[in-house]
Amino acid sequence: MSNNGSLIPTENNPDPSSIRIILEGGKISPPSNLKIETDGQTLSWQPPTEADKETAYQITYTSATDVHTQSAKDAKTTVASDLKERRYSVAVRAVKNENFSGATNPLFITDGRIPKDIVTSLLVQPMGLALSNDGWLYISNFGGHTVMKARTNGKNEEVQTIITYSEPNHNFGTARGIAWSDGWIYVAFQQMVLRMPANGNEKDIVYIATNLNDPCGLALSNDGWLYITIPDDGKVVKVRADGSEHTTHNFATNLNHPYDLALSNDGWLYITIPDDGKVVKVRADGSEHTTHDVITDLNRPYGLALSNDGWLYITSPGDGKVVRVRADGSEHTTHDVITDLNRPYGLALSNDGWLYITSFDQKVVRLRGGEDWVEAGSV
């Protein structure tokens, strides 16, 4: 028999003289355009032209130590949940009337939680992170006395210095928190918060708030307020983000060294309290001033980021890891996202599910925020 088929006895008559021919690739074309969708969970492909309601599909996952098969009725399926390895080659065959097509070109996928270095040059103790909507990552470079920007695709040659804030250029002190909105970046320096164009034009710097006691975390609301943590004063203040007014207003007080902030679409302001090992939330519109515990018993949490599907991501520098928890408080169990980092502080989460993290070994890493798969090399 040729390599295009095989000979087997029929099911009702095991006599080898009664033979059924199963052709591979002879009666149905292979699927095409196999890909992993942006949700990190779905494989999809283009059905062959001969496909009809009788057509099914066989998906084969192959790694160095594991081969796993899966069946699907439609031209898409959720990635198998019981894969044992972190990297696979995937191929799909169409099945019709017990005939198998040839396989698609292989798709190489990898566990999206494997970190990739995005920025590795020019950084010294990076702290805060902010993402723009045009593919730039902004970094407060605490030890380097600069504010940097880099492409989120990880091309190190595109790392740029926006501003150097040490003498003789400026004497703003060290930078921690950073935020981005509509072409502007906001940076928390030692005694002030500044707004500057994301292109680094220093002539357009605006002093948003001054005479602050070492501000740290920043969060911008849709109605034009900038929220700022003042750890040593035990409070969160707010000020108009457009610079039209420079008076800060106490928003939440009597907090034990609040550090970072994140603002949800449904109006909650989340605050890390490292010394208490917890994250709390409060209504951002000021309708109530009571804080509510979201998660406790953490090891000095610092950075925060919120996802569109209700996860709150938290850095834990002392543990060297990032965890996530349901932001609505519906469960109080943390889930490890990544471990074995060197003092992760800053976090930023893109709308398409990529998590960016600063590490004190002078780099920024990127990985998927959830249990997702990505095409290998798709940094």
Side-chain angles (χ1 to χ4, degrees):
M1 186 68 186
S2 72
N3 289 333
N4 291 327
S6 58
L7 298 177
I8 63 172
T10 61
E11 182 177 349
N12 295 325
N13 186 357
D15 183 353
S17 64
S18 178
I19 296 297
R20 181 174 70 232
I21 300 176
I22 297 181
L23 294 176
E24 292 190 358
K27 292 191 175 182
I28 186 168
S29 304
S32 58
N33 299 328
L34 176 61
K35 64 182 180 180
I36 185 86
E37 298 288 349
T38 56
D39 64 1
Q41 303 286 334
T42 306
L43 287 169
S44 66
W45 53 89
Q46 182 68 36
T49 55
E50 306 93 334
D52 56 25
K53 63 181 182 179
E54 302 299 326
T55 305
Y57 301 92
Q58 182 186 79
I59 305 95
T60 303
Y61 304 82
T62 306
S63 73
T65 62
D66 184 37
V67 176
H68 184 93
T69 58
Q70 179 185 18
S71 298
K73 181 61 179 174
D74 301 314
K76 65 179 180 179
T77 189
T78 302
V79 177
S81 61
D82 51 351
L83 297 177
K84 300 175 183 178
E85 302 294 338
R86 303 187 75 178
R87 294 178 176 87
Y88 281 88
S89 170
V90 185
V92 178
R93 294 176 184 268
V95 185
K96 182 179 178 182
N97 299 326
E98 298 184 330
N99 294 310
F100 285 74
S101 75
T104 58
N105 291 328
L107 174 71
F108 297 94
I109 63 172
T110 184
D111 186 337
R113 291 166 294 178
I114 299 175
K116 297 282 188 179
D117 292 350
I118 295 298
V119 185
T120 58
S121 64
L122 306 177
L123 297 183
V124 183
Q125 296 178 337
M127 294 286 286
L129 289 176
L131 282 167
S132 72
N133 59 10
D134 59 352
W136 287 99
L137 180 68
Y138 295 87
I139 310 160
S140 61
N141 194 22
F142 180 84
H145 299 281
T146 55
V147 175
M148 316 290 295
K149 71 175 184 177
R151 279 294 184 187
T152 55
N153 59 15
K155 294 183 177 179
N156 272 320
E157 65 269 19
E158 294 191 59
V159 178
Q160 301 175 20
T161 299
I162 296 177
I163 188 172
T164 300
Y165 51 83
S166 58
E167 295 182 355
N169 301 285
H170 300 285
N171 189 21
F172 296 148
T174 53
R176 288 185 175 86
I178 189 168
W180 179 93
S181 177
D182 296 328
W184 295 94
I185 55 172
Y186 296 77
V187 185
F189 290 102
Q190 201 156 350
Q191 293 182 328
M192 65 193 78
V193 175
L194 304 183
R195 186 183 79 167
M196 64 186 73
N199 62 14
N201 186 350
E202 297 184 24
K203 294 180 180 180
D204 293 324
I205 288 177
V206 176
Y207 288 75
I208 298 297
T210 58
N211 299 317
L212 301 176
N213 184 13
D214 205 9
C216 286
L218 302 176
L220 286 156
S221 70
N222 292 329
D223 59 352
W225 289 100
L226 176 68
Y227 296 84
I228 310 166
T229 60
I230 314 291
D232 288 344
D233 291 345
K235 64 183 181 180
V236 177
V237 301
K238 67 177 186 178
V239 64
R240 295 306 298 176
D242 61 4
S244 59
E245 173 191 340
H246 302 286
T247 302
T248 59
H249 305 267
N250 286 344
F251 177 74
T253 58
N254 299 316
L255 301 173
N256 187 11
H257 290 87
Y259 189 83
D260 201 17
L261 297 170
L263 189 59
S264 70
N265 292 329
D266 60 352
W268 288 99
L269 185 68
Y270 293 80
I271 312 166
T272 51
I273 313 291
D275 290 354
D276 290 344
K278 67 182 181 179
V279 178
V280 301
K281 66 179 182 178
V282 63
R283 295 302 301 174
D285 61 5
S287 58
E288 66 170 278
H289 298 282
T290 301
T291 60
H292 305 267
D293 289 352
V294 177
I295 187 72
T296 59
D297 298 322
L298 301 175
N299 185 3
R300 299 191 61 79
Y302 276 84
L304 287 177
L306 280 161
S307 72
N308 293 327
D309 57 352
W311 288 99
L312 179 66
Y313 293 82
I314 311 163
T315 60
S316 181
D319 293 332
K321 66 183 182 180
V322 177
V323 300
R324 69 177 186 169
V325 66
R326 296 305 299 175
D328 61 6
S330 58
E331 66 170 89
H332 300 283
T333 301
T334 59
H335 306 265
D336 286 353
V337 176
I338 184 173
T339 57
D340 300 323
L341 293 176
N342 182 5
R343 295 174 68 190
Y345 277 92
L347 280 179
L349 184 65
S350 67
N351 289 330
D352 58 353
W354 288 102
L355 188 65
Y356 298 81
I357 311 164
T358 62
S359 171
F360 256 40
D361 46 8
Q362 326 314 340
K363 64 183 180 181
V364 177
V365 301
R366 161 176 141 157
L367 64 150
R368 296 295 291 183
E371 297 177 356
D372 298 343
W373 291 86
V374 297
E375 185 173 353
S378 61
V379 178

